Amino acid sequence: MPNEQAVARFCAFFNKLDKTCTEKLYEVYTEEVVFNDPLHHIQGREALSRYFATMYENVERCQFTYHTQQQQGKQAFVTWTMEFVHPRLARGKPVRVAGCSALTFADDGRVTQHRDYFDAGAMLYEHLPLMGQVIRWLKHRLN
């Protein structure tokens, strides 16, 4: 059964993750891990490694600030704020996105299921040149 150390290891891993260290995924994830976020559904550690390598290819910086952690049995929930810099988003300025990770751990303390919840518009769409203007306008109109 996982413990606080498994959750801490997961959080620390994400603050070290970049395009050069995806080969260390085996320390945190099981071979058959299932990963979901608002934009992707990925099965297997090998596919997850390719996804992270591609995602981090142009990211200049990515840092997580962790807030609340809840754990019960093999389940854990971690709230976070991610700040990243990508040269093609927000004119290269930092983008901040709040989110939550729902994790299921295997008996050995590695993650077997990982689901991220966040606003995909706040992360990506709002920072694209044309689409961003439309989304910001719509949000303004709805408020």
Side-chain angles (χ1 to χ4, degrees):
M1 186 177 294
N3 55 29
E4 291 178 20
Q5 292 171 327
V7 176
R9 186 173 47 248
F10 169 84
C11 292
F13 175 78
F14 267 84
N15 272 333
K16 291 185 230 169
L17 187 63
D18 64 19
K19 63 185 171 189
T20 65
C21 74
T22 57
E23 68 273 3
K24 301 238 180 189
L25 286 176
Y26 72 90
E27 294 176 2
V28 177
Y29 290 104
T30 62
E31 176 101 15
E32 65 282 346
V33 65
V34 175
F35 174 89
N36 290 287
D37 69 18
L39 305 169
H40 303 90
H41 173 81
I42 297 166
Q43 291 186 276
R45 192 171 56 216
E46 206 171 297
L48 186 60
S49 179
R50 286 190 303 272
Y51 164 68
F52 283 143
T54 300
M55 185 173 69
Y56 279 87
E57 189 171 8
N58 294 312
V59 170
E60 294 174 3
R61 180 173 58 83
C62 185
Q63 185 73 36
F64 288 84
T65 302
Y66 296 99
H67 309 293
T68 306
Q69 297 180 15
Q70 298 280 329
Q71 187 172 351
Q72 183 174 359
K74 292 184 178 187
Q75 304 287 319
F77 296 89
V78 179
T79 61
W80 42 261
T81 302
M82 176 178 60
E83 181 176 295
F84 69 96
V85 175
H86 190 289
R88 288 184 273 181
L89 295 175
R91 296 185 181 108
K93 295 179 182 160
V95 175
R96 286 175 200 82
V97 180
C100 175
S101 294
L103 307 167
T104 303
F105 290 90
D107 290 334
D108 65 4
R110 293 184 298 161
V111 176
T112 189
Q113 292 182 3
H114 176 174
R115 178 179 284 273
D116 279 346
Y117 298 93
F118 58 84
D119 180 347
M123 178 184 205
L124 178 64
Y125 306 127
E126 289 179 25
H127 305 288
L128 297 173
L130 294 175
M131 187 181 286
Q133 291 174 333
V134 172
I135 290 173
R136 286 189 299 275
W137 178 81
L138 283 171
K139 277 187 165 182
H140 178 73
R141 295 276 299 171
L142 293 172
N143 287 331

